[in-house]
Amino acid sequence: MATTPALSEDLLAKYEPVIGLEVHVQLLTASKIFCSCSTRFGDPPNTNVCPVCLGLPGALPVLNRKAVEFAALAAMALECRINEVSIFARKNYFYPDLPKGYQISQYDKPLAEFGFIDIDLNGGKKKIGITRLHLEEDAGKSLHEGFADSAHKTAIDLNRTGVPLAEIVSEPDMRSPEEAYEYLTRLKEIILYTGVSDCNMEEGSLRCDANISVRRRGQKEFGTKTEIKNVNSFRFVKQALEYEIERQIEVLESGGKITQESRLYNANEGKTYGMRSKEQAHDYRYFPEPDLLPLVVDEKWQAAIRASLPELPEARRQRMMNDYGITASDAHTLTLTRAMADQFESAARTAKNPKRVANLVQSELLGRLKAQGLELEQSPISMAGVTASADLVESGAISGKMLKDLYDLCFERKQDFPALYEAEGRPEQSRDTSALEKLADELIAANPKQVEQYRAGKKTMIGFFVGQVMKASKGQANPQLANEVLTKKLEG
Ligand code: ADP
Ligand code: ZN
Ligand code: MG
C-alpha cells in the first residue's frame, strides 16, 4: 500500500490536483515499424535485430503499413481526427538502449488529434480530452538484473527497438487519481476492443507516464507538474498520484517550489523519487526525419480503416441493455472483453431468457471464478453452457439449488455444463406434487387474510404464497410447479 504523508482533510481540500496521462501502447504488428524484424516478445535477447533497428549508418527505414492502420484505428476509436498528412520527426537523445541516438517519432504534425474518452464518475459522465495520438518506435530494454553475473552490470536487449508504438496524450483534464484510474481502464478497454494491442502491462505493451500538478482551488493557472515515469499497473498509477499530490502540497505549504522533473514510483515503499530534471521539448532538437516521406492517410484509406472499426464497449453496453433487457451492471460485466461479449450474445440469441443467462453469469459464475483465481476466459463453463443451464432452470427441469450443485461439479471436474449434465444422467427435479400439495394446504390454512385478498381479485398474492413455499422448502421446490399447485388450490 501507498504510504502517504498524512495531510489533514482541510489541507487536501485547499488544493486541486491536475492530471494528464501519456500512454504508450505497443501495436500488434508481426514486424517492426521500419524494418522486417519480428516483434515477438520473449525471444532470446538481440536476436530480432537488423541494420535498420540497430541504427547502423546508411540503413534506411521503410514504414510498416499495418502499423499506420492500427494506430489510425485506435485513433478513430478514441474519437480523434486523423491528419491526412503527418510528419515523422527525430527526437534526439542519448541512452544506451537507443543505438541510433534518436527515436523516430512524430512531433508537431501527429497522425491524429482532438479525441476524447467518456469516463464514468459516480453515476455521471465526464469527457477527458485526448490531445493527440502519434506513431513512434520503441527503444530497447536495459536489464539490470536477472541475467548471469548481473552484479553491477547492465545488459541491453535490442529486440524491442523499433517495435511500433502509439503514444496517446491526454489533456490535463483529470482532477483526481480515481479519474486517472477510470480513464486508463476505459482507454485499455477501447484499445483491446480494436484489437490493435494486447495491452499486456507485464510485458510492457501498455505503459503509462502520469503528469501531475496541484493548484489552490479557485486558481486559474496550472501549477508546475512532475512526471511519474513508467508505472506498471493502474493501481500503482493511482497510488503514485495519491502520494505525489500530498508531497507537492507539503512542498508548497512549507514555502517551497515544485521543480519540473521526472520521478520514479517505488511501489514497495509507496513513494516517488526524483529521477532527473525534465527535458524541455527544445532539448530534443526535434527535426523532420529526412529518411521518411510525409505520411499521407487520404480519405479513401481512412474510410477503409474506419470500416474495420468494431462496435465499441460503451455503445455495446447500451445496445445489449436494450436488446436483452439486462441491467447496466450485467452489461458491464459481460462486455469486459470483446470475446466475452461475443460469446454472451451468440448464446443469448438462442436462450429462452437472456436475462437469466446474464444473471447466472453474475450470481453463479463470477464468484466461483474469483474463488479459484480464474479469468472469465478460463471458465470451465462456457457461455453456451451457462445458456443450457439457464434454459433448464427456465423450463423448471432443474431447481436453482440443483444448478448450484451442478456448477460446483463443473468447477471440480473442469467440465462444461452440457457434458457434465449428460454425465450426471440429466437429473431433473421431482414433479411429484404430493409434498407440495401438503405444504400448500398448510400455507392456505395459516394465511387466511392473504387467501381472502387473492380470492377478492388480488392475483399478485400468488407471489407471496410461492415465496412462502420456497422459504419452507429452503429453495428446493420448483417455483413453477409450486405456482401451478397453489393456483389450483386458491382458485378451487
Ligand atoms: P511536456 O512538454 O512537458 O511533455 P506536454 O504539454 O507535452 O508537456 O504535456 C504532457 C502531459 O502532461 C499531457 O498529458 C498534459 O495533459 C499533461 N500536463 C501538461 N501540463 C500539466 C500540468 N500543469 N499539470 C498536470 N499535467 C499537465
Ligand atoms: Zn530490424
Ligand atoms: Mg510531451
Side-chain angles (χ1 to χ4, degrees):
M1 259 318 288
T3 50
T4 40
L7 290 191
S8 72
E9 292 293 319
D10 285 353
L11 208 47
L12 278 172
K14 217 164 107 181
Y15 289 89
E16 179 180 54
V18 172
I19 299 165
L21 301 176
E22 295 166 283
V23 172
H24 288 90
V25 292
Q26 276 185 0
L27 301 172
L28 275 176
T29 54
S31 59
K32 295 185 179 180
I33 184 169
F34 299 123
C35 62
S36 59
C37 292
S38 168
T39 56
R40 208 168 27 244
F41 182 86
D43 277 0
N46 302 307
T47 52
N48 297 325
V49 291
C50 74
V52 174
C53 54
L54 288 176
L56 301 188
L60 289 174
V62 178
L63 181 58
N64 182 337
R65 189 180 172 88
K66 198 81 210 166
V68 176
E69 293 180 344
F70 278 175
L73 192 67
M76 288 171 184
L78 297 170
E79 310 283 352
C80 288
R81 202 145 86 211
I82 306 290
N83 289 322
E84 189 158 333
V85 179
S86 62
I87 306 286
F88 285 100
R90 285 190 187 181
K91 181 179 183 180
N92 300 281
Y93 64 94
F94 170 79
Y95 208 73
D97 62 19
L98 187 77
K100 284 206 295 278
Y102 60 86
Q103 176 194 30
I104 303 181
S105 180
Q106 295 187 306
Y107 181 51
D108 51 358
K109 278 218 157 34
L111 175 66
E113 294 173 277
F114 312 117
F116 65 87
I117 293 179
D118 276 325
I119 63 170
D120 287 321
L121 275 184
N122 351 301
K125 292 235 180 274
K126 177 172 174 180
K127 246 185 195 27
I128 306 297
I130 290 175
T131 315
R132 54 192 274 142
L133 180 150
H134 67 252
L135 262 172
E136 61 185 29
E137 57 180 343
D138 209 342
K141 239 190 293 194
S142 302
L143 305 161
H144 305 289
E145 52 201 24
F147 57 94
D149 188 22
S150 60
H152 311 298
K153 288 187 184 159
T154 292
I156 301 282
D157 178 5
L158 296 174
N159 282 351
R160 202 177 69 179
T161 316
V163 168
L165 295 176
E167 176 171 348
I168 300 155
V169 182
S170 88
E171 288 290 301
D173 284 349
M174 287 157 274
R175 294 292 175 268
S176 68
E178 290 73 27
E179 289 184 22
Y181 185 91
E182 182 64 19
Y183 168 86
L184 289 169
T185 307
R186 294 281 85 80
L187 174 62
K188 179 176 167 189
E189 184 180 67
I190 292 168
I191 298 293
L192 279 175
Y193 263 62
T194 63
V196 306
S197 174
D198 61 21
C199 297
N200 183 333
M201 291 189 85
E202 281 100 71
E203 295 183 358
S205 327
L206 188 156
R207 312 196 284 273
C208 174
D209 299 337
N211 298 272
I212 164 98
S213 62
V214 298
R215 62 179 169 187
R216 294 288 290 265
R217 279 189 200 275
Q219 177 183 314
K220 251 204 145 105
E221 309 76 43
F222 289 152
T224 303
K225 71 176 154 70
T226 60
E227 177 193 42
I228 311 165
K229 294 296 274 185
N230 265 330
V231 190
N232 63 9
S233 87
F234 293 172
R235 201 162 50 87
F236 288 162
V237 171
K238 189 162 164 261
Q239 289 174 8
L241 288 169
E242 278 160 3
Y243 175 85
E244 187 60 15
I245 288 167
E246 301 211 354
R247 189 192 68 85
Q248 291 189 6
I249 292 176
E250 280 200 325
V251 170
L252 295 174
E253 281 291 314
S254 60
K257 271 205 167 98
I258 303 297
T259 22
Q260 168 140 335
E261 62 180 353
S262 296
R263 298 180 69 85
L264 271 187
Y265 180 62
N266 181 322
N268 291 325
E269 298 175 29
K271 291 182 177 172
T272 64
Y273 288 97
M275 188 165 69
R276 53 176 145 86
S277 72
K278 165 86 177 144
E279 316 73 10
Q280 305 286 321
H282 60 252
D283 293 328
Y284 289 119
R285 300 293 188 272
Y286 279 102
F287 64 86
E289 167 60 62
D291 291 339
L292 287 165
L293 289 167
L295 169 58
V296 179
V297 186
D298 62 15
E299 268 174 38
K300 208 171 137 217
W301 195 11
Q302 286 185 39
I305 296 167
R306 197 173 286 284
S308 66
L309 197 61
E311 184 180 27
L312 295 169
E314 187 54 33
R316 189 161 192 177
R317 279 192 277 276
Q318 292 302 327
R319 182 181 56 71
M320 281 171 56
M321 285 163 67
N322 290 332
D323 287 3
Y324 309 110
I326 59 178
T327 64
S329 151
D330 287 340
H332 183 82
T333 308
L334 293 166
T335 51
L336 280 179
T337 69
R338 191 173 152 191
M340 168 75 191
D342 289 346
Q343 283 175 35
F344 169 77
E345 289 211 70
S346 71
R349 275 185 216 109
T350 63
K352 289 198 169 79
N353 178 358
K355 213 170 143 46
R356 189 184 290 280
V357 177
N359 283 344
L360 286 183
V361 171
Q362 292 270 34
S363 64
E364 301 301 333
L365 200 56
L366 292 181
R368 285 178 174 79
L369 289 171
K370 198 165 171 211
Q372 301 209 355
L374 295 175
E375 297 296 325
L376 209 44
E377 298 91 88
Q378 303 165 300
S379 171
I381 306 178
S382 68
M383 210 47 79
V386 176
T387 304
S389 68
D391 285 353
L392 287 171
V393 175
E394 196 65 26
S395 69
I398 64 171
S399 67
K401 173 74 173 67
M402 288 170 72
L403 178 129
K404 283 179 203 288
D405 293 342
L406 290 166
Y407 270 37
D408 285 342
L409 280 181
C410 287
F411 271 77
E412 223 173 278
R413 299 188 197 156
K414 305 203 178 345
Q415 207 170 18
D416 202 353
F417 185 88
L420 182 115
Y421 190 64
E422 281 302 321
E424 288 295 289
R426 308 175 64 83
E428 296 210 352
Q429 66 181 338
S430 160
R431 286 195 64 90
D432 172 10
T433 56
S434 57
L436 264 179
E437 307 240 2
K438 190 163 159 269
L439 196 54
D441 287 336
E442 285 168 20
L443 284 169
I444 285 171
N447 296 286
K449 233 212 222 113
Q450 284 82 350
V451 173
E452 199 181 304
Q453 287 177 9
Y454 180 90
R455 292 190 172 144
K458 197 172 171 204
K459 300 292 178 201
T460 50
M461 255 311 158
I462 193 72
F464 164 79
F465 285 103
V466 173
Q468 293 298 309
V469 167
M470 296 313 290
K471 206 167 137 195
S473 69
K474 297 199 168 56
Q476 297 283 356
N478 174 348
Q480 206 162 313
L481 210 54
N483 194 309
E484 283 167 29
V485 169
L486 282 160
T487 306
K488 211 159 72 205
K489 293 208 180 276
L490 286 164
E491 298 287 344

